[in-house]
Amino acid sequence: MRGGGLLVAGTTSDAGKSVVTAGICRWLVRQGMRVAPFKGQNMSLNSFVTREGAEIGRAQAMQAQAARVEPTALMNPVLLKPGSDRSSQVVLMGRPVGELSARGYHGGKQRELLEPVLDCLQRLRDSYDAVICEGAGSPAEINLRRTDIVNMGIARAARFPVLVVGDIDRGGVFAQFFGTTALLAPEDQELVAGYLVNKFRGDVTLLEPGLDMLLGLTGRRTFGVLPYAHGLGIDEEDGLRVSLRGTVRESVVAPPVGEDVLRVAVCAVPLMSNFTDVDALAAEPGVVVRFVDRPEELVDADLVVVPGTRGTVRALAWLRERGLADAIARRAAEGRPVLGICGGFQALGERIEDDVESRAGEVAGLGLLPVSVRFAPEKTLARPAGEALGEHVEGYEIHHGVADVRGGEPFLDGCRVGAVWGTHWHGSLESDGFRRAFLRDVAAAAGRRFVPAPDTSFGALREEQLDRLGDLIEEHADTDALWKLIEAGPPAGLPFLPPGAP
């Protein structure tokens, strides 16, 4: 088989499309298939830099890892990075090409992108046995169907069967499946092969009568019922869960090696980007990670992280309005650890000159690091490697801000002053030796008897997690039927459900 495929759509955002796509990719590659993930258009502040220096959604990078292939720009040709409620930076084939309002994008620009998106899909189909596509939101967003390049627009152009995923944990999944199908045009409905129930709790035999009735109502079968599984919300793109749900390992599962736990508070700044940077911290036994938005929540923290953001100047204003800026400054004066990553690093500096992102001109930073930042029109996209704290480190850079470091101790591409660290490097904490050395420094500065586990491998934990996704598909989905869909396409003779698209 060459060039087969499937579109994984969802009844809603966060129905589980990303993890189901990854699970199918891992299941297929374990069967000896060469498989690639694909998402024509992604809206996310959670992005990644490929080896060729292209920016794509982190979900597609994670899915490529599930498929055991190197991620490329072909897998996510269009990435939208929100800068406000009404506008986004448009990244095409890994490079920013402009800023557009939602009206401007859906009013014409999106349709122009269909041809390059389909070209990327075809190139993947020419190179792989199967391409597993992820949709966005819901395919029944009838107000956006005319310009769609990620859901039914892709399925119809490629003649791919569509598997609709529904989150039963939210309730109403039968109505979601029926309504999603019934709001599609006849040409789109004939591609909807059936459904996949996600996040089911309880006795599946109690669900089966409803699945039989759904088949009778729609003429479409259910291809599996996936049980609720904790800790699988990896590299999410639709938004931040202010909890440990998106982390690699919950701390209660892994007790501390030393006498103390280490508490990490992550400032939940507006337009937060790449919050997955702290997943590697949460993977450490005895490290408790939480997202905060009030100064009193920093009091008992051993480490405060100011993460990346698509709006550094806006984040600075938010930190000041909330009283967090003063609380962070007090910590620094007391020698208590603070880490700034990317936009967070920029905010810790002395001065920002921004005529690109916010167009606010010169803005004072928090003044905790001897750094001045100037925003350049060109975006830095890189995969650097180096050494810090005596350990090898790898990361990736995604930023417009150019930092002029004028003092302190060198720290990756940034600097360190006392217990305040700053760097543009995302992903650096995934380097196991460096992460352990960093946490030892944090524990010493915080006065905690915390000891990093000597054998935690973030890469191995991620592989375990991806294998769990593959297991879910293999054990709880009808894989023979899925294989036939991918190989042969949509079943013939699927009935039309009125009323169809208006």
Side-chain angles (χ1 to χ4, degrees):
M1 179 175 67
R2 176 57 64 88
L6 176 73
L7 175 73
V8 179
T11 58
T12 62
S13 295
D14 198 37
K17 297 183 293 291
S18 295
V19 293
V20 167
T21 300
I24 293 174
C25 285
R26 178 52 60 101
W27 161 64
L28 286 172
V29 79
R30 293 196 306 209
Q31 310 310 308
M33 298 272 286
R34 277 184 47 80
V35 58
F38 179 79
K39 186 163 185 172
Q41 171 197 293
N42 196 348
M43 177 173 280
S44 179
L45 290 172
N46 214 12
S47 59
F48 181 76
V49 179
T50 67
R51 293 287 181 196
E52 77 253 43
E55 185 179 9
I56 66 172
R58 267 200 71 110
Q60 279 60 64
M62 176 268 291
Q63 290 159 358
Q65 186 177 349
R68 296 180 180 145
V69 295
E70 189 68 33
T72 73
L74 293 176
M75 298 171 183
N76 180 206
V78 179
L79 174 64
L80 305 179
K81 302 195 73 176
S84 70
D85 292 339
R86 297 193 175 188
S87 68
S88 295
Q89 183 181 67
V90 181
V91 179
L92 177 62
M93 292 302 296
R95 296 286 172 179
V97 294
E99 197 90 14
L100 278 178
S101 67
R103 180 179 292 276
Y105 182 72
H106 290 289
K109 182 65 175 177
Q110 187 180 33
R111 192 67 187 175
E112 295 174 16
L113 296 173
L114 180 60
E115 185 174 342
V117 165
L118 292 176
D119 177 67
C120 289
L121 176 57
Q122 187 59 52
R123 289 166 66 183
L124 290 175
R125 296 182 73 180
D126 290 341
S127 302
Y128 291 88
D129 298 327
V131 181
I132 307 303
C133 304
E134 179 189 345
S138 163
E141 290 165 349
I142 55 179
N143 55 316
L144 304 178
R145 176 61 184 92
R146 183 177 58 85
T147 56
D148 172 53
I149 62 171
V150 65
N151 287 308
M152 302 311 298
I154 289 291
R156 197 190 293 189
R159 297 302 301 172
F160 274 179
V162 178
L163 182 68
V164 181
V165 178
D167 178 358
I168 197 170
D169 197 50
R170 296 181 175 189
V173 75
F174 293 116
Q176 292 171 25
F177 285 145
F178 185 92
T180 297
T181 308
L183 278 176
L184 300 178
E187 297 84 357
D188 290 342
Q189 285 195 26
E190 68 183 24
L191 302 175
V192 176
Y195 314 110
L196 186 74
V197 176
N198 191 28
K199 302 180 185 176
F200 179 73
R201 307 172 192 254
D203 184 350
V204 73
T205 61
L206 299 176
L207 186 67
E208 288 170 352
L211 302 180
D212 292 339
M213 286 186 274
L214 184 67
L215 173 62
L217 288 166
T218 67
R220 291 160 175 85
R221 57 164 301 179
T222 298
F223 285 81
V225 178
L226 306 187
Y228 194 104
H230 292 279
L232 292 182
I234 53 179
D235 292 355
E236 296 187 61
E237 62 192 34
D238 292 323
L240 171 64
R241 299 275 174 261
V242 187
S243 70
L244 287 184
R245 181 175 161 197
T247 60
V248 170
R249 177 182 289 182
E250 289 89 346
S251 298
V252 292
V253 175
V257 175
E259 297 179 44
D260 284 347
V261 298
L262 206 64
R263 296 173 176 85
V264 179
V266 185
C267 297
V269 296
L271 300 174
M272 191 187 319
S273 62
N274 289 71
F275 55 83
T276 49
D277 283 334
V278 299
D279 280 1
L281 294 178
E284 284 286 347
V287 176
V288 180
V289 177
R290 65 182 188 271
F291 292 87
V292 304
D293 59 4
R294 295 180 301 191
E296 56 268 26
E297 294 177 293
L298 304 188
V299 174
D300 67 343
D302 302 305
L303 170 67
V304 169
V305 177
V306 187
T309 172
R310 172 87 160 83
T312 303
V313 170
R314 180 175 167 184
L316 264 171
W318 182 87
L319 290 168
R320 288 181 167 123
E321 290 165 2
R322 296 264 175 163
L324 288 160
D326 290 339
I328 292 170
R330 285 195 298 271
R331 289 184 63 89
E334 296 165 0
R336 302 176 65 200
V338 177
L339 170 65
I341 302 174
C342 200
F345 165 44
Q346 297 165 6
L348 296 180
E350 296 171 342
R351 183 174 61 87
I352 294 171
E353 185 181 333
D354 182 9
D355 295 318
V356 176
E357 193 174 75
S358 67
R359 296 182 173 84
E362 188 168 322
V363 177
L366 299 185
L368 304 182
L369 292 174
V371 176
S372 295
V373 176
R374 176 185 57 82
F375 276 68
E378 303 79 24
K379 181 184 282 191
T380 296
L381 296 169
R383 289 280 292 270
E387 187 174 297
L389 305 180
E391 299 285 348
H392 179 72
V393 191
E394 296 183 9
Y396 56 100
E397 295 182 67
I398 306 169
H399 54 91
H400 284 279
V402 179
D404 180 13
V405 180
R406 300 175 180 176
E409 300 175 43
F411 178 69
L412 302 178
D413 70 330
C415 65
R416 171 186 181 177
V417 174
V420 181
W421 293 265
T423 176
H424 274 130
W425 290 21
H426 294 289
S428 61
L429 294 166
E430 296 179 19
S431 298
D432 298 326
F434 166 71
R435 182 180 64 254
R436 287 192 277 270
F438 176 71
L439 289 175
R440 281 193 291 269
D441 273 16
V442 168
R448 289 283 186 186
R449 293 187 297 274
F450 169 85
V451 179
D455 57 354
T456 302
S457 167
F458 183 80
L461 287 171
R462 177 52 55 90
E463 277 297 304
E464 287 176 16
Q465 199 171 36
L466 294 172
D467 275 333
R468 287 180 63 200
L469 293 179
D471 292 344
L472 280 177
I473 297 299
E474 194 164 338
E475 295 169 10
H476 300 282
D478 186 338
T479 52
D480 289 341
L482 283 179
W483 189 284
K484 185 176 180 181
L485 275 185
I486 293 166
E487 189 174 36
L494 292 168
F496 171 71
L497 269 64

